[in-house]
Amino acid sequence: MYRYDERDHTIIQERVAQFRSQTERYLAGELSEEQFLPLRLQNGLYIQRLAPMLRIAVPYGLLNSAQLRRLARISRDFDKGYAHFTTRQNLQFNWPQLEDIPDILAELAEVEMHAVQTSGNCIRNTTSDPFAGVARDEIADPRPYCELIRQWSTFHPEFAFLPRKFKIAVSGSEADRAAIRVHDIGVQIVRRGDEIGFQVLVGGGQGRTPVIAEQIRDFLPEEDLLSYLEAIVRVYNQLGRRDNKYKARIKILVKALGAEEFGRRVEREWEQIKDGADKLTDDALAWAKSFFTAPEYKTFDGAVSDAALQAQADDDKAFSRWLERNSFPHRVPGYRAITLSTKPTGVPPGDVTDRQLEAIADLADEYSFGEVRVTHEQNVVLADVPQDRLLELWQAARKHGFATPNIGTLTDMICCPGGDYCSLANAKSIPVAEAIQRRFDDLDYLYDLGDLDLNISGCMNACGHHHVGHIGILGVDKKGEEFYQVQLGGSSSENASLAKVLGPSFSRAEVTEVIGKILDIYLEQRRPEEPFIDTYNRIGVQPFKEKVYAKAS
Amino acid sequence: MPKPASSGKAGPQPANPEQLILDGRIVANEWRLLPQTDEETEITAESLAPGKVILPYSLWQPLRSALAPRKAEIGVWLDSDETADLIGKNAGKLPLIAVHFPAFADGRGFTTARLLRERYGYQGELRAVGAFMRDQLTYLRRCGFNAFAYEGEQPLSGLLESLNDFSESYQAAVDQPQSLFRRRGLV
Ligand code: SF4
């Protein structure tokens, strides 16, 4: 992974000092609430319903064991002993004290971490594929580009006060596991002959006005990545709307101008800067890539290793289930990537205790070269586990509550903090997630359902990605009461689509029953091996509607 | 006669404080600044009082040639929706350009400043005016501003510290022509 040199350390330490001064001035009354707001936001600090919330940046989801242990210690010393993985591959503390934040940031800086630009109207943490570097369908490793983008966007002097927040995602493989089509900029690594380059999409997003991004460039040469991003953000900074925060995202500008015209303006701007200081040199590219070389894999005979693993799986149904759901094929023979589930029933998705953070660190050290990746589904990936140690890892993961074999299934939900924590919420989301987990806890049933994304947001800001869930649940306010709208047919994959509203919303008590009916229709109508989303795309929303809203007879 | 509802700009106008920061020092403000006016108010090259004055772009643009003989004492200010290319290559003939921040959250002026410096080669005084705040000074400086007509309540001496909150930076900008990735001492 990327390691700081003294320059990175200087920048981050100066940030801590700057924020310390800002906090002191605020507490002394020299900075007004209104003036402090953008400053604390650009440091990831929200004032929430119950307490401040501090969002820590985890660049493209990558963490090492020392960082995990430090996060655990911070959660113990400054919080209530737990932390929360977010849907943007970051980590949040829900109960820190404002006065402590500068000290927390200083602790983070020691392990090369920070909270820079995790909120506010600026370029946010770049996200990517949690299986970067190990996936078999990878065209090129996205992480070096993510790191270059991280550095380019960190304290970018021109782009710290954009019309609205700005999110970039990079995918390096054929399957899109980074949801790039619902980002302000989606960067898809592509190959043309021997050349690596990028397809560039703009104007995707969720929130109140969900939009699928449109392509403005089919092939951008590797060396031009940063100058092209600069051109896009510059055009947006000049032309994006600032009169209405709900119309300020780049997607609205792209819609207003049309993707073609927007693209033309970007190209015009880019022509003038493409040979400037942001052009990536061969040295710079080689330098960025040098941080993401393969670890020292052992050599295995793939077939032998697979057979041995199969034998173990045949002996133990529970282990075999876990393998089936929680492991991911690896490009190196004899290895697999493993997802630790943060979603056993009854735990808010993404929540982990300090001890669990330490346990993840231990597992990473023991089984996966000391590194992990946070996924946007709020789980944790150990990317490089030798197959001959999987059984051992599974047993250890079980002890710590990470072995729920539900990855990609209905109960592996994306769920925002909702009304329990978030002051913007219309409705609670965590109790809904829990009720669904309790109702559908039969593993055979879950496996039979197969891949199913169920996403829950507590309000239309869509932090729980409900627009791109195969099933999406949205908290709405109906005359002061918490209601839930159900949507169907969304996807954040390379075939991205936005979910459609099923019909009138439901009370919390009704939600699980409604989900049950939706699943019944799927089970009745599916063809062999057909996943939920494909059945939905084939039969449309109508059969689901009829069943769910059928008058009780 | 009461004025008809103004068709001109109704947005906030920059104040023109008596002191400002110029090239890292606190100095007296030697310039007057005229606000944007609606079309009724007539200002001509003849009626414009002598002395250093910063004109809103909308006023300067039509008077440009008429004011050419006085060009050493005529500056221009751009509002946040007025882009650098409006002045473009004419920048070089101006002794002062000011860029207005009607609200600190309106970040268009950062781009305007960079373009004036980097694209149009402007070398003169580039002054930030309006509602920017202390904690933006490093960014403003990096984008090419060298003068800061601060309107807030804090003493200017305190602001000087915030001009250099960061001694190192990742990106190229006006203050640093090389990106850090080119400066890391690569082989
Ligand atoms: S979706 Fe709404 S309720 Fe949920 S975290 Fe985001 S803002 Fe809060």
Side-chain angles (χ1 to χ4, degrees), chain B residues 10-180:
Chain B
Q13 300 292 305
N16 196 38
E18 283 172 15
Q19 286 196 317
L20 69 147
I21 295 173
L22 175 66
D23 294 326
R25 297 200 337 266
I26 299 167
V27 298
N29 185 359
E30 297 178 350
W31 293 76
R32 281 187 299 137
L33 182 144
L34 295 193
Q36 290 161 335
T37 51
D38 44 44
E39 284 127 41
E40 317 300 298
T41 326
E42 183 113 13
I43 294 182
T44 62
E46 292 73 42
S47 70
L48 188 66
K52 292 178 168 181
V53 62
I54 310 172
L55 302 177
Y57 172 77
S58 53
L59 188 59
W60 171 76
Q61 166 58 22
L63 297 184
R64 220 172 76 207
S65 4
L67 288 172
R70 285 167 62 180
K71 72 177 193 298
E73 53 177 36
I74 304 292
V76 179
W77 69 270
L78 291 173
D79 211 343
S80 67
D81 59 352
E82 292 168 333
T83 47
D85 56 330
L86 293 175
I87 295 183
K89 294 254 151 36
N90 291 311
K93 303 182 198 122
L94 290 162
L96 183 150
I97 302 176
V99 177
H100 183 217
F101 291 80
F104 65 75
D106 183 344
R108 285 175 281 192
F110 292 101
T111 293
T112 308
R114 254 191 105 177
L115 291 179
L116 285 169
R117 291 284 195 216
E118 292 179 351
R119 186 155 303 162
Y120 302 112
Y122 179 60
Q123 304 276 339
E125 177 177 338
L126 187 55
R127 181 182 287 197
V129 297
F132 64 88
M133 56 181 179
R134 166 177 171 165
D135 300 277
Q136 291 175 310
L137 287 177
T138 297
Y139 290 148
L140 290 166
R141 178 184 57 75
R142 295 208 64 213
C143 285
F145 288 103
N146 67 327
F148 308 91
Y150 175 71
E151 296 178 10
E153 284 150 22
Q154 295 173 49
L156 289 184
S157 52
L159 261 66
L160 290 175
E161 289 166 34
S162 291
L163 272 173
N164 292 292
D165 278 350
F166 292 92
S167 61
E168 183 57 276
S169 52
Y170 287 114
Q171 320 73 9
V174 176
D175 66 326
Q176 170 51 264
Q178 290 292 332
S179 303
L180 186 54

Side-chain angles (χ1 to χ4, degrees), chain A residues 2 5 7-8 14 18 22 25 38 151-152 154 156 158 161 230 237 242 269 272 277 279 283 287, chain B residues 104-105 107-108 111 114 119 134-136 139 165-167 170-172 177 179 182-184 187:
Chain A
Y2 182 71
D5 68 8
R7 293 171 158 119
D8 303 274
E14 287 175 348
Q18 183 194 39
Q22 291 166 347
R25 280 185 281 136
Q151 299 196 9
W152 162 78
T154 298
H156 196 301
E158 189 180 339
F161 293 87
E230 181 129 327
N237 190 41
R242 292 174 185 268
E269 176 59 38
Q272 308 188 62
K279 186 172 201 145
D283 284 344
W287 167 79
Chain B
F104 65 75
R108 285 175 281 192
T111 293
R114 254 191 105 177
R119 186 155 303 162
R134 166 177 171 165
D135 300 277
Q136 291 175 310
Y139 290 148
D165 278 350
F166 292 92
S167 61
Y170 287 114
Q171 320 73 9
S179 303
R182 294 195 184 186
R183 288 186 282 122
R184 290 216 193 237
V187 211

Side-chain angles (χ1 to χ4, degrees), chain A residues 48 416-419 422-427 429 456-464:
Chain A
Q48 287 285 26
C416 81
C422 173
S423 49
L424 303 170
N426 285 326
S429 51
I456 310 177
S457 303
C459 78
M460 61 216 283
N461 287 323
C463 307

Side-chain angles (χ1 to χ4, degrees), chain A residues 113-134:
Chain A
M113 294 190 78
H114 56 74
V116 174
Q117 291 167 216
T118 52
S119 182
N121 295 336
C122 48
I123 302 172
R124 304 287 188 86
N125 184 26
T126 299
T127 51
S128 190
D129 181 1
F131 299 112
V134 308

Side-chain angles (χ1 to χ4, degrees), chain A residues 43-46 48 53-57 86 88 90-93 105 108 114-120 124 167 463:
Chain A
N43 249 306
L45 182 62
Y46 285 82
Q48 287 285 26
M53 184 271 280
L54 180 66
R55 187 181 292 151
I56 313 294
T86 77
R88 291 201 44 78
N90 286 324
L91 181 129
Q92 278 169 201
F93 292 120
L105 296 179
L108 289 170
H114 56 74
V116 174
Q117 291 167 216
T118 52
S119 182
R124 304 287 188 86
K167 301 175 179 180
C463 307

